[in-house]
Amino acid sequence: MTRKETPKPADTLASAAPLHSPQPAVVPQTTGANRPGAELIARYFPDLTAVQQQRFTALEGLYREWNTKINVISRKDIGLLYLHHVLHSLAIAKVCSFSSGARILDVGCGGGFPGIPLAILFPETQFTLIDSIGKKIKVVNEVAQGIGLRNLTAIHGRAEAVQGKFDFVVSRAVTEMKPFIGWIWDKIEPGNSAGTLANGILYLKGGDLEAELSATGRPYALYEIGKLFDDRFFETKKVVYIPR
């Protein structure tokens, strides 16, 4: 993979096995009367331990409670927490399985996405979540404490100021990719593979991304989340992977 190449998703998939089969489970389409709960996560990740299931289930009550105090999820969206936020975050896990001891930085984590769902799924991986808004970090800390997560550290600050090196940087559509790379590129440990993909960026974003990603001048791969999860919500959403 050279600097000027733009590999198709299949190029990267061929060299890395996803955490689970990329074939989507058959899940009913979401309606207002059929809002999925934590059981949705178990349909796509059937090997969860009892502790992981309990932690995913506990998220709804904690986020509902804290969202009344500090608005981190829109009021109309809180009923779709598991589909729009938890499962969306876990699309990263379908693309790359993190190794034990891997170091993950979640930039612009907001109320804890994608970092908290990923920290539940990968309990032996170390997660650092950062956001420039202190109230959001308070919610992250309260939710993490409420479910007993010990592999997560939350920081109030800016990504540029974070100390140390990380194996992967994850995020959910905080800005365009070119400035984002400028914030975090030197924080990614080069030459390592702390997961089923080489170290790099795993970024959740939707829409037509070709021009934005080509402007970075770096190779990338796109994974269509609609091929991983069977719901119309994911039709235009993707996981972007940029290797370090």
Side-chain angles (χ1 to χ4, degrees), residues 142-224:
E142 293 292 343
V143 171
Q145 182 177 354
I147 62 175
L149 280 182
R150 295 183 174 85
N151 59 328
L152 184 151
T153 300
I155 298 173
H156 174 210
R158 301 186 64 83
E160 302 93 318
V162 176
Q163 300 298 310
K165 291 285 188 178
F166 300 88
D167 299 302
F168 291 93
V169 173
V170 301
S171 192
R172 187 166 70 153
V174 295
T175 188
E176 288 199 353
M177 186 59 74
K178 190 172 182 178
F180 184 78
I181 289 173
W183 297 347
I184 54 81
W185 195 247
D186 64 347
K187 303 184 188 306
I188 304 174
E189 190 80 59
N192 285 355
S193 291
T196 51
L197 294 174
N199 288 8
I201 297 169
L202 291 160
Y203 198 87
L204 296 167
K205 199 165 188 181
D208 184 353
L209 302 175
E210 271 195 44
E212 177 181 336
L213 295 175
S214 295
T216 68
R218 299 188 182 277
Y220 65 87
L222 293 174
Y223 299 84
E224 295 180 18

Side-chain angles (χ1 to χ4, degrees), residues 7-68:
K8 301 297 184 184
D11 294 336
T12 307
L13 279 169
S15 62
L19 182 63
H20 297 283
S21 169
Q23 295 300 318
V26 178
V27 179
Q29 295 293 324
T30 304
T31 66
N34 179 30
R35 291 178 174 172
E39 70 279 359
L40 177 67
I41 309 306
R43 290 175 187 169
Y44 288 107
F45 296 89
D47 299 326
L48 297 174
T49 66
V51 170
Q52 288 171 321
Q53 291 180 36
Q54 291 165 6
R55 285 173 171 168
F56 279 123
T57 299
L59 289 180
E60 182 170 21
L62 286 164
Y63 274 109
R64 282 187 180 277
E65 175 188 351
W66 280 99
N67 213 50
T68 62

Side-chain angles (χ1 to χ4, degrees), residues 100-127:
S100 175
R103 301 157 298 173
I104 315 299
L105 175 64
D106 179 358
V107 173
C109 65
F113 303 103
I116 285 179
L118 290 171
I120 295 173
L121 195 64
F122 296 104
E124 302 302 320
T125 298
Q126 300 303 309
F127 288 83

Side-chain angles (χ1 to χ4, degrees), residues 67-168:
N67 213 50
T68 62
K69 305 171 185 176
I70 301 170
N71 187 21
V72 293
I73 299 171
S74 70
R75 299 287 193 262
K76 65 180 182 180
D77 218 28
I78 192 70
L80 292 168
L81 172 74
Y82 287 100
L83 180 67
H84 288 186
H85 300 279
V86 180
L87 189 61
H88 188 201
S89 298
L90 294 176
I92 289 173
K94 289 289 190 179
V95 170
C96 180
S97 179
F98 300 129
S99 302
S100 175
R103 301 157 298 173
I104 315 299
L105 175 64
D106 179 358
V107 173
C109 65
F113 303 103
I116 285 179
L118 290 171
I120 295 173
L121 195 64
F122 296 104
E124 302 302 320
T125 298
Q126 300 303 309
F127 288 83
T128 299
L129 279 61
I130 187 164
D131 200 280
S132 61
I133 300 176
K135 289 182 178 180
K136 293 181 179 180
I137 290 299
K138 178 174 178 58
V139 174
V140 170
N141 279 322
E142 293 292 343
V143 171
Q145 182 177 354
I147 62 175
L149 280 182
R150 295 183 174 85
N151 59 328
L152 184 151
T153 300
I155 298 173
H156 174 210
R158 301 186 64 83
E160 302 93 318
V162 176
Q163 300 298 310
K165 291 285 188 178
F166 300 88
D167 299 302
F168 291 93

